Amino acid sequence: MTFTDQLFGTQPDPPAVVILVTGGAALLLVLSGEPWRMARNVITIVHEGGHALVAVLVGRRLRGITLHADTSGVTVSRGKRDGPGMMCTAFAGYVAPSLIGLGLAALLAAGKITLLLWVLTALLLAVLVMIRNLYGVLSVLATGTVLVVVSLVTSPAVQAGFACLTVWFLLFGGVRPVWELQVKRHRGHARDSDADQLARLTGAPGFFWVAMFFLVALGATAVGGMWLVQPVFPT
């Protein structure tokens, strides 16, 4: 079988126990303390990648991405300081993990496990070329190395389990940062957050945009979760 056949071919659904166990593990990780702080770097990479992708799609000039050890990040682009393009760019970050998780859940439900892993690798490579600090480069390289090793070296069973864990983590991991954002806003520690930037751009209050982030994250988790557990509870 050629690499192309394997890439676009269909792999068997993961066993029901793998789907459920990885879902539970991802949920525990997102609800944890220090383990979540470390794993949150992955969510930050996707968050900033979402800003960057939408900035390019709406015609802004992407200057670069910076990732920090405290799991924060900044994406800088040039263009109009207001208007629909800037609004879409500001909105994209917090919903990116959930929406990418939803897309990957669709691939997993379709049996495209190999394609899922390589799509993730390609997305990381696209982010890597825009990173502008050493910590960010190391974070993306470390994440990408894990993906490449799993994709090239491990068995199909391990790849299926890793794919399940990754998708669950993106779905669940897209919800907690929105809650953390509102907690920071309530304490007055996030005056220049994406929600507050959107408030200044649109006139709608920042809490409205936090609620929109929540709706997208929860909706993606619900739909993606149903797709993932379908083999466990077939109709």
Side-chain angles (χ1 to χ4, degrees):
M1 180 182 293
T2 66
F3 175 75
T4 301
D5 292 335
Q6 185 178 3
L7 179 64
F8 294 103
T10 301
Q11 292 78 42
D13 290 329
V17 65
V18 171
I19 296 172
L20 296 177
V21 168
T22 55
L27 182 58
L28 288 174
L29 178 58
V30 170
L31 295 176
S32 67
E34 185 62 20
W36 161 249
R37 194 193 71 79
M38 297 175 61
R40 198 185 191 284
N41 283 289
V42 176
I43 299 297
T44 302
I45 292 170
V46 179
H47 176 117
E48 300 304 331
H51 282 311
L53 174 62
V54 173
V56 172
L57 291 177
V58 300
R60 298 180 62 83
R61 294 181 59 187
L62 188 60
R63 298 292 300 274
I65 299 171
T66 303
L67 304 175
H68 304 297
D70 64 355
T71 73
S72 65
V74 177
T75 298
V76 178
S77 61
R78 295 184 63 181
K80 288 184 62 178
R81 295 186 178 183
D82 54 14
M86 187 62 205
M87 289 169 53
C88 291
T89 301
F91 187 79
Y94 276 99
V95 300
S98 301
L99 294 181
I100 290 179
L102 180 63
L104 296 179
L107 287 178
L108 188 57
K112 305 294 186 179
I113 295 173
T114 302
L115 180 60
L116 182 158
L117 295 173
W118 284 106
V119 164
L120 276 174
T121 304
L123 291 174
L124 278 174
L125 182 60
V127 171
L128 179 62
V129 299
M130 293 309 303
I131 296 293
R132 295 295 181 263
N133 68 320
L134 179 60
Y135 179 83
V137 169
L138 293 176
S139 295
V140 176
L141 282 177
T143 306
T145 299
V146 172
L147 278 170
V148 171
V149 169
V150 170
S151 301
L152 294 179
V153 177
T154 63
S155 66
V158 172
Q159 293 175 10
F162 182 83
C164 283
L165 180 63
T166 300
V167 175
W168 280 120
F169 177 70
L170 288 173
L171 292 173
F172 291 137
V175 178
R176 179 166 174 174
V178 182
W179 170 258
E180 293 173 341
L181 168 64
Q182 184 54 30
V183 171
K184 289 180 180 178
R185 293 185 69 254
H186 181 70
R187 295 172 179 172
H189 296 161
R191 297 175 186 243
D192 200 35
S193 70
D194 294 348
D196 293 285
Q197 290 182 45
L198 285 163
R200 290 191 289 271
L201 288 167
T202 64
F207 182 76
F208 169 82
W209 293 107
V210 174
M212 292 300 100
F213 297 156
F214 259 125
L215 286 176
V216 173
L218 292 175
T221 301
V223 175
M226 285 190 295
W227 290 343
L228 289 174
V229 301
Q230 188 173 8
V232 182
F233 306 106
T235 56

